[in-house]
Amino acid sequence: MSEQGTSANREGSGRAYRHGSRMLVALAAAVVFFGGVWLARDLLATAALAAVVVIIAYPVRFPLERRGWPVWLSSTAVIVVAYLILAVLAFLLVYAVGQFVAMLPELAEELGSTADGVIGWLQGLGFTAPSAETAAGWLDPATIGSAALGIADQVLGFATAFFFVLTYVIFMTVDGARFRAAAGGASARIFGSPAADGIARRYFTGVRRYYVVNATFGAIVAVLDGLLLWAVGVPIPIVWAILAFVTNFIPNIGFIIGLIPPAILALVVGGWPLMLAVIAIYCVINVVLQVLVQPKFVSDAVGLSLTLTFFSVVFWTFVIGPIGAILSVPLSLLVRALLLEPDPGAVALRRLTGESEGSLPARDSREKKDDGGHPVPDTGSPTGEVRDVVEEEA
């Protein structure tokens, strides 16, 4: 009896050791993989952006093909819609940066006086002069000018990468149509199996729903913010409305990023009362819509938990740069679709990421229960699992 117990303990320890070893190997491989992504971030970021835009625009072709349009013409329509999306975003960014840079010389004197006032206020609170000057450095005209030039350089760099994005859009749209036609000629399954087709369908649908939700709420927030900022007298409100719209695509922290510039400008032109009024406006509008209401819709649309959504922003920004903040949710969904969803043993991890119960394997919902209706722990025997499922289906 003791020998059997010892043998069972050794077997259990061996399984645990093998599982731990596999986890360590998987983590090491992930570090190497994402290190390579970080090194190639300039190349991969443009490809990822183009892929997301094509995913958003691709459904345009389906109603056109049902009406008899040839494949090449429906592909052209997808490319046109994708180009329109990119053109609108590029115009908004260039216009906002241009207006902001043009405004700085007009407010140089106000910025200097506001910085002096903040330094004096901090010194009155007990801060030393160097500490106060450091804290108020973000109001220095030279600092803001350097930041504006840095943003302009980033926009120019984006314009260079924009060419590659446009090229990727053409190639991805054409290749997508060819892949769909080839798969349709070979079998009824585009990705080879019903399970793979279901994973792909959930991913593409989730990405499109995510950006539709964000664009809708972003437009509402941008219009309300812009109108109220104009009403209280904050300069260039349209720029801050554009900023609110763009930062709405950054989960969780986009609200803070969109609030800081107009709040600082309100402090410069109207003092503390106007700054507090701007903060109150953003808190009422953005907190209610972006923090309380929108995350619920985003979570329902893509099946990602709020914690994972926030972590995705930080992680993908570190890996591929600033564009990773906007692409964080689609990239996290892609990782889950490739690594977790095909694995029937990763149900717990998928549930932890926030995936809805309806998309989890049906076998997980048919777990054994005792006479009291409580789940019976799984013994880990594959033969037993198969037998239970077969008996239930029989």
Side-chain angles (χ1 to χ4, degrees):
M1 188 71 179
S2 61
E3 293 180 357
Q4 293 179 353
T6 303
S7 176
N9 291 335
R10 289 177 178 175
E11 184 179 354
S13 300
R15 286 199 300 265
Y17 175 76
R18 290 194 297 270
H19 176 72
S21 300
R22 288 196 299 267
M23 289 296 296
L24 290 176
V25 171
L27 290 175
V31 171
V32 174
F33 173 77
F34 287 114
V37 172
W38 181 80
L39 292 175
R41 60 190 180 276
D42 292 336
L43 297 175
L44 297 177
T46 54
L49 177 60
V52 168
V53 173
V54 171
I55 290 173
I56 296 172
Y58 200 78
V60 171
R61 72 180 312 125
F62 299 136
L64 300 179
E65 291 179 353
R66 285 195 295 267
R67 295 179 181 179
W69 286 38
V71 174
W72 69 267
L73 194 56
S74 60
S75 297
T76 302
V78 173
I79 295 172
V80 170
V81 173
Y83 277 15
L84 287 175
I85 295 173
L86 293 171
V88 170
L89 293 177
F91 172 77
L92 292 177
L93 290 176
V94 172
Y95 176 80
V97 171
Q99 291 292 312
F100 180 68
V101 173
M103 178 202 66
L104 286 179
E106 302 175 2
L107 297 177
E109 184 177 350
E110 289 85 349
L111 286 170
S113 60
T114 303
D116 294 337
V118 171
I119 291 173
W121 176 68
L122 292 175
Q123 288 178 342
L125 294 177
F127 287 86
T128 62
S131 300
E133 292 175 359
T134 302
W138 44 270
L139 282 172
D140 182 60
T143 302
I144 297 179
S146 299
L149 292 177
I151 295 174
D153 291 339
Q154 290 289 334
V155 171
L156 291 177
F158 176 76
T160 303
F162 199 65
F163 167 77
F164 293 96
V165 175
L166 297 178
T167 306
Y168 278 130
V169 165
I170 297 176
F171 294 155
M172 289 179 179
T173 302
V174 174
D175 288 340
R178 293 177 60 185
F179 176 72
R180 178 166 164 262
S187 67
R189 300 297 177 184
I190 296 179
F191 292 92
S193 68
D197 279 4
I199 292 172
R201 183 172 58 254
R202 285 194 299 271
Y203 174 73
F204 295 138
T205 303
V207 170
R208 283 190 285 267
R209 290 180 62 189
Y210 170 74
Y211 282 104
V212 167
V213 169
N214 278 274
T216 302
F217 278 93
I220 296 172
V221 168
V223 171
L224 294 177
D225 285 344
L227 290 175
L228 290 176
L229 290 177
W230 170 77
V232 298
V234 176
I236 53 173
I238 189 172
V239 172
W240 313 128
I242 293 173
L243 180 64
F245 176 77
V246 173
T247 56
N248 195 69
F249 292 96
I250 303 176
N252 301 118
I253 61 174
F255 154 67
I256 299 175
I257 297 174
L259 167 63
I260 293 175
I264 293 176
L265 186 59
L267 175 64
V268 171
V269 300
W272 294 103
L274 185 57
M275 179 181 181
L276 295 176
V278 169
I279 295 175
I281 290 172
Y282 270 72
C283 287
V284 171
I285 297 176
N286 296 53
V287 169
V288 171
L289 291 178
Q290 288 184 305
V291 178
L292 299 180
V293 179
Q294 181 180 340
K296 181 63 171 62
F297 285 90
V298 171
S299 179
D300 291 342
V302 300
L304 282 181
S305 65
L306 298 181
T307 302
L308 181 58
T309 303
F310 175 73
F311 175 78
S312 299
V313 175
V314 180
F315 177 78
W316 289 111
T317 302
F318 171 77
V319 173
I320 65 173
I323 193 65
I326 297 177
L327 301 179
S328 58
V329 169
L331 292 175
S332 296
L333 290 176
L334 180 62
V335 171
R336 187 176 69 184
L338 294 177
L339 300 183
L340 297 184
E341 294 190 32
D343 185 1
V347 173
L349 289 176
R350 291 171 61 181
R351 186 179 289 115
L352 187 62
T353 65
E355 190 169 355
S356 62
E357 293 294 328
S359 59
L360 294 176
R363 182 177 63 84
D364 184 62
S365 62
R366 297 200 301 261
E367 57 188 358
K368 296 177 291 183
K369 297 183 179 181
D370 58 18
D371 295 335
H374 301 92
V376 177
D378 190 3
T379 60
S381 172
T383 304
E385 292 175 0
V386 173
R387 182 172 61 251
D388 292 337
V389 173
V390 171
E391 290 177 355
E392 289 181 10
E393 291 179 346

